[in-house]
Amino acid sequence: MEKTGATTEMKTIDEISIDHHNKIVTAPCYMMEADIMQVRNNVQKAIEALVGMVP
Amino acid sequence: MKIAVIFSGSGVYDGTEIHEGVFTLLAIKKAGAEAVCFAPNIDQHHVINHITGEEMPETRNVLVEAARIARGDIHDLALFDADKMDALVLPGGFGAAKNLTKWAFSGPEGEINAQVKAAILSMAKAKKPIAGLCMGPTVIAKALEKVAFRPPLPSVAPTRRLPMI
């Protein structure tokens, strides 16, 4: 991933990563061992953060 | 508020991860926004039997398969217009790394679909927010490669059974 110039952060299924400067939100979801409820909550957090960045 | 969602097929091993896709649409609705679904009108890299992980001898179209998740309410990515969208979401699933890019086979060297790249770049240049789930961040990173962005993207070791090819 870092070969593209991106930087990475380790996150758990209960966390998301927010880059306020570039307005990019990322979430691990099924990248790791996770159940469907955890993924739903992780997606919810990411979309809430995304919507919060819309002026 | 209109939030574009770019799907890459239907099914975790050769397309969009369906749970992530559906939860994205649900979360957008809960936020009071409107989801506008897109997918490229191209053939999938391949078709995977989701029980065995084996490749199946058939051809499927990314847009036609993604239309299953969107209940038919989906647009050809060729029609994407950043001016009409407020934000963009790239859900995960191996389709992101097999159909939108070739990350699953060639890593960051794998090429990205031109329409996908154009959509992400046009949103980024307009300073509109972008979200990536699971494999989605690899598509964003590839699209913004060699651009003056340094997005932090979550990286976690996959521990699940992940048939790559």
Side-chain angles (χ1 to χ4, degrees):
Chain A
M1 183 88 87
E2 300 196 337
K3 279 189 180 171
T4 63
T7 54
T8 59
E9 295 179 336
M10 296 297 284
K11 292 289 183 185
T12 71
I13 186 64
D14 298 318
E15 299 173 305
I16 60 172
S17 180
I18 303 178
D19 174 354
H20 290 282
H21 179 72
N22 293 313
K23 294 193 177 180
I24 293 173
V25 178
T26 53
C29 296
Y30 279 122
M31 206 69 174
M32 62 183 68
E33 201 71 54
D35 69 38
I36 191 168
M37 190 73 86
Q38 290 174 311
V39 169
R40 186 193 72 169
N41 294 340
N42 201 220
V43 172
Q44 176 73 28
K45 272 186 191 172
I47 300 302
E48 280 175 5
L50 181 79
V51 167
M53 285 180 172
V54 176
Chain B
M1 184 188 301
K2 290 189 176 184
I3 302 183
V5 183
I6 299 180
F7 290 124
S8 59
S10 176
V12 57
Y13 298 129
D14 56 18
T16 289
E17 210 298 319
I18 295 173
H19 299 178
E20 292 173 9
V22 172
F23 291 148
T24 295
L25 299 179
L26 180 64
I28 289 170
K29 184 69 178 175
K30 281 171 84 174
E34 177 189 348
V36 185
C37 300
F38 293 90
N41 185 10
I42 57 173
D43 284 342
Q44 292 185 184
H45 176 83
H46 57 191
V47 179
I48 295 291
N49 177 324
H50 278 54
I51 300 171
T52 63
E54 299 289 319
E55 193 167 345
M56 297 167 72
E58 58 182 272
T59 302
R60 296 190 190 183
N61 177 284
V62 172
L63 177 58
V64 170
E65 292 302 303
R68 293 167 176 268
I69 300 175
R71 296 174 56 86
D73 188 5
I74 193 165
H75 308 281
D76 187 330
L77 188 58
L79 303 175
F80 184 89
D81 181 355
D83 291 342
K84 294 179 180 167
M85 298 296 143
D86 296 297
L88 170 64
V89 185
L90 287 129
F94 272 91
K98 290 178 174 179
N99 302 329
L100 305 188
T101 71
K102 297 299 174 193
W103 195 290
F105 313 106
S106 314
E109 311 298 326
E111 65 182 74
I112 183 170
N113 174 280
Q115 291 174 355
V116 174
K117 181 171 183 170
I120 293 170
L121 270 178
S122 61
M123 292 296 282
K125 282 178 180 168
K127 304 212 181 300
K128 292 181 176 180
I130 305 171
L133 313 175
C134 189
M135 293 297 289
T138 63
V139 184
I140 300 170
K142 183 64 185 174
L144 300 181
E145 185 179 41
K146 296 170 186 156
V147 180
F149 289 95
R150 290 292 180 271
L153 302 162
S155 172
V156 287
T159 54
R160 302 174 62 243
R161 178 179 65 100
L162 296 172
M164 297 291 287
I165 298 181

